[in-house]
Amino acid sequence: ISSSKEMEMTKRLPLVLIFLVLTTALAFSQDFILEEDGDGNTVLVEYRGHSSHVVIPEGVTSIGEKAFAYCESLESITIPDSVTSIGDGAFYYCSSLETITFGGGAVSFGDDIFNRCDSLKKINGIEHSPVFNHFLGTEYEKYLVYTPSWLAN
């Protein structure tokens, strides 16, 4: 009897796994509101999730104005190489945001992208990127995490 139950469970396992993958993908896709602009670029217009650690999907080219505004559960975010611009106030009042990790793509920034991000402690992955110069001489410079060139060799 137990072996027939095991066989039945074994037959159902792939269906259960497919269901889990599909529901996870659906939930993930509902967290990010994406739109295509007139040039065929993918813009992250709004984040509706509640995760504390967010990885923006590869292929997103722009983070829209206030896309993550008031996302108080957000503690860390990873921005892929494909993102080349970040709109005004994109992370406005993400009061729990501590760590931002950039890919090498972001080159254009709006105003006050991290305004009211009072918990910010680290900005990673930008020492060889145009992003680095954006933060020099600003209130965010103290959060840059990088290796000085004389240590890198």
mmCIF file of all heavy atoms in Angstrom, residues 17-60:
data_model
loop_
_atom_site.group_PDB
_atom_site.id
_atom_site.type_symbol
_atom_site.label_atom_id
_atom_site.label_comp_id
_atom_site.label_asym_id
_atom_site.label_seq_id
_atom_site.Cartn_x
_atom_site.Cartn_y
_atom_site.Cartn_z
ATOM 1 N N LEU A 17 5.597 21.133 -8.341
ATOM 2 C CA LEU A 17 6.739 22.004 -8.620
ATOM 3 C C LEU A 17 6.409 23.031 -9.698
ATOM 4 O O LEU A 17 6.760 24.204 -9.579
ATOM 5 C CB LEU A 17 7.957 21.174 -9.030
ATOM 6 C CG LEU A 17 8.589 20.344 -7.917
ATOM 7 C CD1 LEU A 17 9.698 19.474 -8.476
ATOM 8 C CD2 LEU A 17 9.089 21.226 -6.811
ATOM 9 N N ILE A 18 5.725 22.611 -10.743
ATOM 10 C CA ILE A 18 5.329 23.539 -11.803
ATOM 11 C C ILE A 18 4.411 24.610 -11.229
ATOM 12 O O ILE A 18 4.565 25.797 -11.515
ATOM 13 C CB ILE A 18 4.653 22.790 -12.971
ATOM 14 C CG1 ILE A 18 5.699 21.958 -13.709
ATOM 15 C CG2 ILE A 18 3.950 23.762 -13.920
ATOM 16 C CD1 ILE A 18 5.122 21.002 -14.731
ATOM 17 N N PHE A 19 3.468 24.211 -10.398
ATOM 18 C CA PHE A 19 2.557 25.166 -9.772
ATOM 19 C C PHE A 19 3.324 26.186 -8.933
ATOM 20 O O PHE A 19 3.071 27.378 -9.015
ATOM 21 C CB PHE A 19 1.537 24.423 -8.898
ATOM 22 C CG PHE A 19 0.646 25.338 -8.117
ATOM 23 C CD1 PHE A 19 -0.401 26.005 -8.736
ATOM 24 C CD2 PHE A 19 0.863 25.564 -6.766
ATOM 25 C CE1 PHE A 19 -1.211 26.872 -8.027
ATOM 26 C CE2 PHE A 19 0.061 26.424 -6.045
ATOM 27 C CZ PHE A 19 -0.986 27.080 -6.681
ATOM 28 N N LEU A 20 4.292 25.707 -8.144
ATOM 29 C CA LEU A 20 5.071 26.609 -7.300
ATOM 30 C C LEU A 20 5.881 27.599 -8.136
ATOM 31 O O LEU A 20 5.948 28.787 -7.826
ATOM 32 C CB LEU A 20 5.991 25.828 -6.366
ATOM 33 C CG LEU A 20 5.304 25.086 -5.230
ATOM 34 C CD1 LEU A 20 6.312 24.216 -4.482
ATOM 35 C CD2 LEU A 20 4.643 26.057 -4.280
ATOM 36 N N VAL A 21 6.489 27.123 -9.196
ATOM 37 C CA VAL A 21 7.282 27.998 -10.062
ATOM 38 C C VAL A 21 6.386 29.053 -10.710
ATOM 39 O O VAL A 21 6.720 30.232 -10.738
ATOM 40 C CB VAL A 21 8.037 27.174 -11.132
ATOM 41 C CG1 VAL A 21 8.607 28.066 -12.216
ATOM 42 C CG2 VAL A 21 9.132 26.351 -10.485
ATOM 43 N N LEU A 22 5.238 28.632 -11.214
ATOM 44 C CA LEU A 22 4.329 29.578 -11.871
ATOM 45 C C LEU A 22 3.775 30.612 -10.904
ATOM 46 O O LEU A 22 3.692 31.790 -11.223
ATOM 47 C CB LEU A 22 3.186 28.828 -12.557
ATOM 48 C CG LEU A 22 3.569 28.052 -13.817
ATOM 49 C CD1 LEU A 22 2.374 27.268 -14.333
ATOM 50 C CD2 LEU A 22 4.114 28.967 -14.882
ATOM 51 N N THR A 23 3.388 30.190 -9.712
ATOM 52 C CA THR A 23 2.842 31.154 -8.750
ATOM 53 C C THR A 23 3.923 32.105 -8.259
ATOM 54 O O THR A 23 3.665 33.286 -8.052
ATOM 55 C CB THR A 23 2.165 30.460 -7.552
ATOM 56 O OG1 THR A 23 3.082 29.557 -6.946
ATOM 57 C CG2 THR A 23 0.905 29.735 -7.979
ATOM 58 N N THR A 24 5.150 31.625 -8.107
ATOM 59 C CA THR A 24 6.256 32.500 -7.711
ATOM 60 C C THR A 24 6.543 33.513 -8.813
ATOM 61 O O THR A 24 6.712 34.703 -8.549
ATOM 62 C CB THR A 24 7.525 31.676 -7.406
ATOM 63 O OG1 THR A 24 7.226 30.759 -6.356
ATOM 64 C CG2 THR A 24 8.673 32.558 -6.992
ATOM 65 N N ALA A 25 6.572 33.053 -10.068
ATOM 66 C CA ALA A 25 6.821 33.963 -11.192
ATOM 67 C C ALA A 25 5.701 34.993 -11.310
ATOM 68 O O ALA A 25 5.942 36.166 -11.568
ATOM 69 C CB ALA A 25 6.954 33.169 -12.492
ATOM 70 N N LEU A 26 4.466 34.570 -11.108
ATOM 71 C CA LEU A 26 3.339 35.493 -11.187
ATOM 72 C C LEU A 26 3.426 36.541 -10.087
ATOM 73 O O LEU A 26 3.248 37.730 -10.333
ATOM 74 C CB LEU A 26 2.016 34.725 -11.089
ATOM 75 C CG LEU A 26 0.748 35.562 -11.196
ATOM 76 C CD1 LEU A 26 0.716 36.298 -12.533
ATOM 77 C CD2 LEU A 26 -0.472 34.687 -11.030
ATOM 78 N N ALA A 27 3.721 36.108 -8.863
ATOM 79 C CA ALA A 27 3.852 37.056 -7.747
ATOM 80 C C ALA A 27 4.984 38.035 -8.020
ATOM 81 O O ALA A 27 4.859 39.232 -7.795
ATOM 82 C CB ALA A 27 4.095 36.305 -6.440
ATOM 83 N N PHE A 28 6.101 37.516 -8.543
ATOM 84 C CA PHE A 28 7.252 38.359 -8.861
ATOM 85 C C PHE A 28 6.868 39.395 -9.909
ATOM 86 O O PHE A 28 7.154 40.569 -9.772
ATOM 87 C CB PHE A 28 8.408 37.481 -9.359
ATOM 88 C CG PHE A 28 9.596 38.248 -9.836
ATOM 89 C CD1 PHE A 28 10.485 38.799 -8.931
ATOM 90 C CD2 PHE A 28 9.833 38.424 -11.182
ATOM 91 C CE1 PHE A 28 11.588 39.518 -9.371
ATOM 92 C CE2 PHE A 28 10.927 39.131 -11.631
ATOM 93 C CZ PHE A 28 11.802 39.675 -10.714
ATOM 94 N N SER A 29 6.174 38.936 -10.966
ATOM 95 C CA SER A 29 5.831 39.856 -12.044
ATOM 96 C C SER A 29 4.838 40.916 -11.587
ATOM 97 O O SER A 29 4.800 42.002 -12.132
ATOM 98 C CB SER A 29 5.290 39.093 -13.251
ATOM 99 O OG SER A 29 4.037 38.522 -12.947
ATOM 100 N N GLN A 30 4.026 40.627 -10.595
ATOM 101 C CA GLN A 30 3.074 41.605 -10.099
ATOM 102 C C GLN A 30 3.733 42.634 -9.185
ATOM 103 O O GLN A 30 3.168 43.689 -8.949
ATOM 104 C CB GLN A 30 1.923 40.911 -9.382
ATOM 105 C CG GLN A 30 1.044 40.134 -10.336
ATOM 106 C CD GLN A 30 -0.031 39.346 -9.615
ATOM 107 O OE1 GLN A 30 -0.021 39.198 -8.405
ATOM 108 N NE2 GLN A 30 -0.972 38.831 -10.380
ATOM 109 N N ASP A 31 4.926 42.327 -8.669
ATOM 110 C CA ASP A 31 5.656 43.279 -7.829
ATOM 111 C C ASP A 31 6.191 44.451 -8.642
ATOM 112 O O ASP A 31 6.265 45.567 -8.157
ATOM 113 C CB ASP A 31 6.833 42.601 -7.126
ATOM 114 C CG ASP A 31 6.406 41.690 -5.993
ATOM 115 O OD1 ASP A 31 5.219 41.725 -5.608
ATOM 116 O OD2 ASP A 31 7.261 40.946 -5.491
ATOM 117 N N PHE A 32 6.582 44.188 -9.879
ATOM 118 C CA PHE A 32 7.182 45.211 -10.732
ATOM 119 C C PHE A 32 6.196 45.640 -11.806
ATOM 120 O O PHE A 32 5.749 44.824 -12.599
ATOM 121 C CB PHE A 32 8.451 44.674 -11.409
ATOM 122 C CG PHE A 32 9.535 44.302 -10.442
ATOM 123 C CD1 PHE A 32 9.735 42.992 -10.078
ATOM 124 C CD2 PHE A 32 10.369 45.274 -9.898
ATOM 125 C CE1 PHE A 32 10.743 42.645 -9.188
ATOM 126 C CE2 PHE A 32 11.375 44.937 -9.013
ATOM 127 C CZ PHE A 32 11.561 43.618 -8.654
ATOM 128 N N ILE A 33 5.863 46.911 -11.834
ATOM 129 C CA ILE A 33 5.021 47.452 -12.897
ATOM 130 C C ILE A 33 5.971 48.023 -13.947
ATOM 131 O O ILE A 33 6.684 48.999 -13.690
ATOM 132 C CB ILE A 33 4.058 48.543 -12.372
ATOM 133 C CG1 ILE A 33 3.240 48.018 -11.195
ATOM 134 C CG2 ILE A 33 3.170 49.055 -13.509
ATOM 135 C CD1 ILE A 33 2.436 46.759 -11.476
ATOM 136 N N LEU A 34 5.996 47.368 -15.109
ATOM 137 C CA LEU A 34 6.922 47.734 -16.178
ATOM 138 C C LEU A 34 6.144 48.278 -17.369
ATOM 139 O O LEU A 34 5.043 47.806 -17.667
ATOM 140 C CB LEU A 34 7.734 46.508 -16.620
ATOM 141 C CG LEU A 34 8.511 45.771 -15.530
ATOM 142 C CD1 LEU A 34 9.138 44.500 -16.101
ATOM 143 C CD2 LEU A 34 9.569 46.658 -14.911
ATOM 144 N N GLU A 35 6.724 49.261 -18.034
ATOM 145 C CA GLU A 35 6.147 49.804 -19.253
ATOM 146 C C GLU A 35 7.249 49.953 -20.287
ATOM 147 O O GLU A 35 8.420 50.113 -19.931
ATOM 148 C CB GLU A 35 5.511 51.174 -19.001
ATOM 149 C CG GLU A 35 4.274 51.133 -18.152
ATOM 150 C CD GLU A 35 3.650 52.509 -17.947
ATOM 151 O OE1 GLU A 35 4.182 53.513 -18.479
ATOM 152 O OE2 GLU A 35 2.633 52.573 -17.235
ATOM 153 N N GLU A 36 6.862 49.921 -21.527
ATOM 154 C CA GLU A 36 7.818 50.156 -22.602
ATOM 155 C C GLU A 36 7.663 51.602 -23.066
ATOM 156 O O GLU A 36 6.543 52.063 -23.304
ATOM 157 C CB GLU A 36 7.543 49.195 -23.756
ATOM 158 C CG GLU A 36 8.652 49.165 -24.777
ATOM 159 C CD GLU A 36 8.471 48.061 -25.800
ATOM 160 O OE1 GLU A 36 8.411 46.887 -25.398
ATOM 161 O OE2 GLU A 36 8.392 48.411 -26.993
ATOM 162 N N ASP A 37 8.795 52.309 -23.182
ATOM 163 C CA ASP A 37 8.713 53.688 -23.660
ATOM 164 C C ASP A 37 8.705 53.707 -25.189
ATOM 165 O O ASP A 37 8.741 52.655 -25.828
ATOM 166 C CB ASP A 37 9.836 54.550 -23.071
ATOM 167 C CG ASP A 37 11.219 54.204 -23.587
ATOM 168 O OD1 ASP A 37 11.343 53.403 -24.540
ATOM 169 O OD2 ASP A 37 12.200 54.736 -23.031
ATOM 170 N N GLY A 38 8.643 54.870 -25.774
ATOM 171 C CA GLY A 38 8.572 55.011 -27.224
ATOM 172 C C GLY A 38 9.782 54.486 -27.974
ATOM 173 O O GLY A 38 9.708 54.220 -29.166
ATOM 174 N N ASP A 39 10.908 54.329 -27.266
ATOM 175 C CA ASP A 39 12.134 53.835 -27.898
ATOM 176 C C ASP A 39 12.333 52.337 -27.698
ATOM 177 O O ASP A 39 13.376 51.792 -28.031
ATOM 178 C CB ASP A 39 13.348 54.582 -27.328
ATOM 179 C CG ASP A 39 13.311 56.061 -27.651
ATOM 180 O OD1 ASP A 39 12.818 56.417 -28.739
ATOM 181 O OD2 ASP A 39 13.759 56.862 -26.805
ATOM 182 N N GLY A 40 11.344 51.665 -27.098
ATOM 183 C CA GLY A 40 11.452 50.225 -26.869
ATOM 184 C C GLY A 40 12.201 49.859 -25.603
ATOM 185 O O GLY A 40 12.554 48.700 -25.401
ATOM 186 N N ASN A 41 12.459 50.830 -24.730
ATOM 187 C CA ASN A 41 13.144 50.568 -23.458
ATOM 188 C C ASN A 41 12.138 50.153 -22.390
ATOM 189 O O ASN A 41 10.996 50.610 -22.396
ATOM 190 C CB ASN A 41 13.886 51.823 -22.992
ATOM 191 C CG ASN A 41 14.964 52.225 -23.965
ATOM 192 O OD1 ASN A 41 15.758 51.415 -24.401
ATOM 193 N ND2 ASN A 41 14.968 53.492 -24.324
ATOM 194 N N THR A 42 12.590 49.334 -21.460
ATOM 195 C CA THR A 42 11.724 48.877 -20.379
ATOM 196 C C THR A 42 11.927 49.753 -19.148
ATOM 197 O O THR A 42 13.031 49.831 -18.613
ATOM 198 C CB THR A 42 12.031 47.407 -20.022
ATOM 199 O OG1 THR A 42 11.877 46.612 -21.205
ATOM 200 C CG2 THR A 42 11.096 46.903 -18.948
ATOM 201 N N VAL A 43 10.845 50.394 -18.715
ATOM 202 C CA VAL A 43 10.880 51.306 -17.579
ATOM 203 C C VAL A 43 10.163 50.669 -16.399
ATOM 204 O O VAL A 43 9.022 50.226 -16.529
ATOM 205 C CB VAL A 43 10.198 52.650 -17.927
ATOM 206 C CG1 VAL A 43 10.227 53.603 -16.740
ATOM 207 C CG2 VAL A 43 10.853 53.279 -19.148
ATOM 208 N N LEU A 44 10.838 50.607 -15.254
ATOM 209 C CA LEU A 44 10.195 50.162 -14.029
ATOM 210 C C LEU A 44 9.445 51.383 -13.487
ATOM 211 O O LEU A 44 10.058 52.322 -13.009
ATOM 212 C CB LEU A 44 11.230 49.659 -13.024
ATOM 213 C CG LEU A 44 10.723 48.868 -11.829
ATOM 214 C CD1 LEU A 44 11.854 48.087 -11.189
ATOM 215 C CD2 LEU A 44 10.019 49.700 -10.823
ATOM 216 N N VAL A 45 8.137 51.359 -13.594
ATOM 217 C CA VAL A 45 7.310 52.504 -13.246
ATOM 218 C C VAL A 45 6.963 52.504 -11.763
ATOM 219 O O VAL A 45 6.902 53.550 -11.125
ATOM 220 C CB VAL A 45 6.016 52.493 -14.090
ATOM 221 C CG1 VAL A 45 5.092 53.629 -13.701
ATOM 222 C CG2 VAL A 45 6.349 52.555 -15.565
ATOM 223 N N GLU A 46 6.744 51.296 -11.213
ATOM 224 C CA GLU A 46 6.341 51.209 -9.811
ATOM 225 C C GLU A 46 6.692 49.835 -9.251
ATOM 226 O O GLU A 46 6.586 48.829 -9.942
ATOM 227 C CB GLU A 46 4.834 51.427 -9.697
ATOM 228 C CG GLU A 46 4.308 51.425 -8.282
ATOM 229 C CD GLU A 46 2.803 51.630 -8.218
ATOM 230 O OE1 GLU A 46 2.154 51.858 -9.253
ATOM 231 O OE2 GLU A 46 2.265 51.543 -7.099
ATOM 232 N N TYR A 47 7.108 49.822 -8.002
ATOM 233 C CA TYR A 47 7.327 48.576 -7.274
ATOM 234 C C TYR A 47 6.199 48.435 -6.264
ATOM 235 O O TYR A 47 5.990 49.322 -5.441
ATOM 236 C CB TYR A 47 8.687 48.587 -6.569
ATOM 237 C CG TYR A 47 8.915 47.355 -5.732
ATOM 238 C CD1 TYR A 47 9.142 46.123 -6.334
ATOM 239 C CD2 TYR A 47 8.882 47.417 -4.344
ATOM 240 C CE1 TYR A 47 9.346 44.988 -5.571
ATOM 241 C CE2 TYR A 47 9.081 46.284 -3.583
ATOM 242 C CZ TYR A 47 9.309 45.068 -4.202
ATOM 243 O OH TYR A 47 9.497 43.934 -3.440
ATOM 244 N N ARG A 48 5.474 47.313 -6.329
ATOM 245 C CA ARG A 48 4.333 47.090 -5.445
ATOM 246 C C ARG A 48 4.584 45.990 -4.419
ATOM 247 O O ARG A 48 3.684 45.643 -3.662
ATOM 248 C CB ARG A 48 3.096 46.731 -6.253
ATOM 249 C CG ARG A 48 2.592 47.886 -7.085
ATOM 250 C CD ARG A 48 1.303 47.547 -7.752
ATOM 251 N NE ARG A 48 0.824 48.698 -8.518
ATOM 252 C CZ ARG A 48 -0.185 48.635 -9.361
ATOM 253 N NH1 ARG A 48 -0.828 47.498 -9.550
ATOM 254 N NH2 ARG A 48 -0.560 49.719 -10.012
ATOM 255 N N GLY A 49 5.769 45.435 -4.413
ATOM 256 C CA GLY A 49 6.084 44.349 -3.496
ATOM 257 C C GLY A 49 6.370 44.853 -2.091
ATOM 258 O O GLY A 49 6.369 46.060 -1.822
ATOM 259 N N HIS A 50 6.648 43.902 -1.215
ATOM 260 C CA HIS A 50 6.939 44.232 0.177
ATOM 261 C C HIS A 50 8.201 43.540 0.664
ATOM 262 O O HIS A 50 8.423 43.430 1.863
ATOM 263 C CB HIS A 50 5.756 43.845 1.064
ATOM 264 C CG HIS A 50 4.493 44.551 0.691
ATOM 265 N ND1 HIS A 50 4.282 45.882 0.977
ATOM 266 C CD2 HIS A 50 3.407 44.124 0.014
ATOM 267 C CE1 HIS A 50 3.106 46.243 0.511
ATOM 268 N NE2 HIS A 50 2.552 45.199 -0.087
ATOM 269 N N SER A 51 9.031 43.096 -0.263
ATOM 270 C CA SER A 51 10.261 42.399 0.090
ATOM 271 C C SER A 51 11.270 43.375 0.687
ATOM 272 O O SER A 51 11.309 44.548 0.335
ATOM 273 C CB SER A 51 10.854 41.741 -1.154
ATOM 274 O OG SER A 51 12.054 41.075 -0.837
ATOM 275 N N SER A 52 12.089 42.869 1.581
ATOM 276 C CA SER A 52 13.126 43.717 2.157
ATOM 277 C C SER A 52 14.382 43.747 1.272
ATOM 278 O O SER A 52 15.169 44.672 1.354
ATOM 279 C CB SER A 52 13.483 43.244 3.570
ATOM 280 O OG SER A 52 13.914 41.908 3.551
ATOM 281 N N HIS A 53 14.543 42.736 0.426
ATOM 282 C CA HIS A 53 15.703 42.639 -0.465
ATOM 283 C C HIS A 53 15.192 42.484 -1.894
ATOM 284 O O HIS A 53 14.579 41.470 -2.218
ATOM 285 C CB HIS A 53 16.603 41.476 -0.072
ATOM 286 C CG HIS A 53 17.014 41.523 1.367
ATOM 287 N ND1 HIS A 53 17.955 42.420 1.838
ATOM 288 C CD2 HIS A 53 16.585 40.845 2.445
ATOM 289 C CE1 HIS A 53 18.090 42.258 3.147
ATOM 290 N NE2 HIS A 53 17.262 41.312 3.532
ATOM 291 N N VAL A 54 15.459 43.473 -2.728
ATOM 292 C CA VAL A 54 14.922 43.486 -4.089
ATOM 293 C C VAL A 54 16.060 43.461 -5.101
ATOM 294 O O VAL A 54 17.048 44.180 -4.950
ATOM 295 C CB VAL A 54 14.050 44.741 -4.318
ATOM 296 C CG1 VAL A 54 13.641 44.867 -5.776
ATOM 297 C CG2 VAL A 54 12.821 44.698 -3.418
ATOM 298 N N VAL A 55 15.885 42.636 -6.128
ATOM 299 C CA VAL A 55 16.789 42.610 -7.274
ATOM 300 C C VAL A 55 15.948 43.019 -8.475
ATOM 301 O O VAL A 55 14.985 42.337 -8.828
ATOM 302 C CB VAL A 55 17.395 41.205 -7.492
ATOM 303 C CG1 VAL A 55 18.264 41.190 -8.747
ATOM 304 C CG2 VAL A 55 18.200 40.767 -6.274
ATOM 305 N N ILE A 56 16.298 44.137 -9.072
ATOM 306 C CA ILE A 56 15.576 44.597 -10.247
ATOM 307 C C ILE A 56 15.897 43.653 -11.394
ATOM 308 O O ILE A 56 17.059 43.296 -11.602
ATOM 309 C CB ILE A 56 15.964 46.052 -10.583
ATOM 310 C CG1 ILE A 56 15.481 46.969 -9.455
ATOM 311 C CG2 ILE A 56 15.379 46.479 -11.929
ATOM 312 C CD1 ILE A 56 15.878 48.402 -9.602
ATOM 313 N N PRO A 57 14.887 43.238 -12.156
ATOM 314 C CA PRO A 57 15.120 42.285 -13.242
ATOM 315 C C PRO A 57 16.060 42.828 -14.313
ATOM 316 O O PRO A 57 15.977 44.006 -14.677
ATOM 317 C CB PRO A 57 13.727 42.051 -13.834
ATOM 318 C CG PRO A 57 12.758 42.570 -12.844
ATOM 319 C CD PRO A 57 13.476 43.604 -12.029
ATOM 320 N N GLU A 58 16.943 41.972 -14.797
ATOM 321 C CA GLU A 58 17.813 42.314 -15.921
ATOM 322 C C GLU A 58 16.921 42.648 -17.107
ATOM 323 O O GLU A 58 15.884 42.037 -17.292
ATOM 324 C CB GLU A 58 18.731 41.132 -16.247
ATOM 325 C CG GLU A 58 19.799 41.422 -17.267
ATOM 326 C CD GLU A 58 20.839 42.428 -16.794
ATOM 327 O OE1 GLU A 58 21.323 42.321 -15.664
ATOM 328 O OE2 GLU A 58 21.157 43.334 -17.598
ATOM 329 N N GLY A 59 17.295 43.637 -17.880
ATOM 330 C CA GLY A 59 16.494 44.057 -19.020
ATOM 331 C C GLY A 59 15.760 45.362 -18.762
ATOM 332 O O GLY A 59 15.395 46.068 -19.696
ATOM 333 N N VAL A 60 15.536 45.692 -17.478
ATOM 334 C CA VAL A 60 14.954 46.988 -17.141
ATOM 335 C C VAL A 60 16.015 48.032 -17.462
ATOM 336 O O VAL A 60 17.162 47.898 -17.055
ATOM 337 C CB VAL A 60 14.547 47.057 -15.651
ATOM 338 C CG1 VAL A 60 14.196 48.471 -15.240
ATOM 339 C CG2 VAL A 60 13.402 46.105 -15.361
#
